Amino acid sequence: YARKPATDEFAAGLTRGDWRLGAGLEIDHHLRRAVPDENRVFFYRRTTVTANVRRDPAEGSRQRLEYSYEFQRKGDIFNPDPTGVSIESRRRVHRVLAAVDAPLSAIDRLEVGHALLERSARTGFPAAPTNSISYRRWESQPYARWRRRINQSLLTDLGTFLSFGERRQNAAGNLGSSLFDSIIEAKLGAGLDFIFGPNGRIGIYSAFKLNDPSHPWGGGNIRALFLF
């Protein structure tokens, strides 16, 4: 490592009654790692900024508004590079989320929200500077989640997630033609949380693609959280 991995995180918060304000900054500092056997150097850095405001009363509905921005740069540089495979990329992502979480009964809660995402990226080739690919993507993502507490040890989660938008890929140089595609996706998510007192839980989640009945399975995951 010419520059070893290092990350700094900063966070600040303010609480006034039911309202909470928060902000965060995460910096993955410039990393450089040499691979002498391949005549290759890998580099990477990333910065993420977040801000949020929440209203979280002891009873009734809860509201939150969140914003995040991410910048990432990485690449693989070969020296010498006779085949022109060196690559460098940059990415920027903006995301805004607004959501309301309200009780339906003593054991049921409903959360509805909407996220907006805008992503732009560019890939360049140092050995062929006239070649590049630029990407732009935006999405509108409404969703709804219904949570029911069966008992003190089991919580169910059922949600619908929609996504509408478009993605563009513009190629320069001799990399071929540009592309344009619309995004239309609908998924059903289902999960179980097994709760072990106030300090632990294990969740089993799965997703199903409603917009593609011929391939309905959309993946799943298992998550565990234990606080010490």
Side-chain angles (χ1 to χ4, degrees), residues 91-113:
R91 183 181 70 186
R92 293 178 174 86
V93 182
H94 297 269
R95 186 175 185 268
V96 178
L97 169 67
V100 177
D101 179 353
L104 298 179
S105 69
I107 61 173
D108 297 286
R109 294 192 72 92
L110 177 67
E111 177 184 342
V112 295

Side-chain angles (χ1 to χ4, degrees), residues 28 51 73 113 132 140 187 189 200 203 216 222:
D28 291 336
R73 182 187 177 197
S132 65
S140 175
K187 292 185 178 182
I222 299 177

Side-chain angles (χ1 to χ4, degrees), residues 110-157:
L110 177 67
E111 177 184 342
V112 295
H114 198 135
L116 296 173
L117 180 144
E118 191 271 337
R119 177 184 183 273
S120 60
R122 183 182 183 278
T123 299
F125 304 88
T130 59
N131 291 345
S132 65
I133 304 174
S134 61
Y135 309 86
R136 184 168 297 275
R137 173 178 181 148
W138 68 267
E139 290 186 45
S140 175
Q141 303 170 333
Y143 72 92
R145 300 178 68 176
W146 170 38
R147 299 183 179 93
R148 163 168 283 198
R149 180 175 288 275
I150 303 301
N151 52 48
Q152 294 299 315
S153 301
L154 182 61
L155 180 70
T156 62
D157 191 336

Side-chain angles (χ1 to χ4, degrees), residues 7-8 13 23 32 41 49 64 72 97 105 113 133 138 172-173 207 226:
T7 300
D8 282 321
R32 293 184 70 87
V41 174
V49 179
R64 60 190 171 107
Q72 176 183 281
L97 169 67
S105 69
I133 304 174
W138 68 267
F226 293 95

Side-chain angles (χ1 to χ4, degrees), residues 169-190:
Q169 177 179 313
N170 298 316
N174 60 358
L175 295 178
S177 60
S178 299
L179 301 175
F180 170 78
D181 189 20
S182 297
I183 300 171
I184 303 176
E185 296 180 352
K187 292 185 178 182
L188 175 70

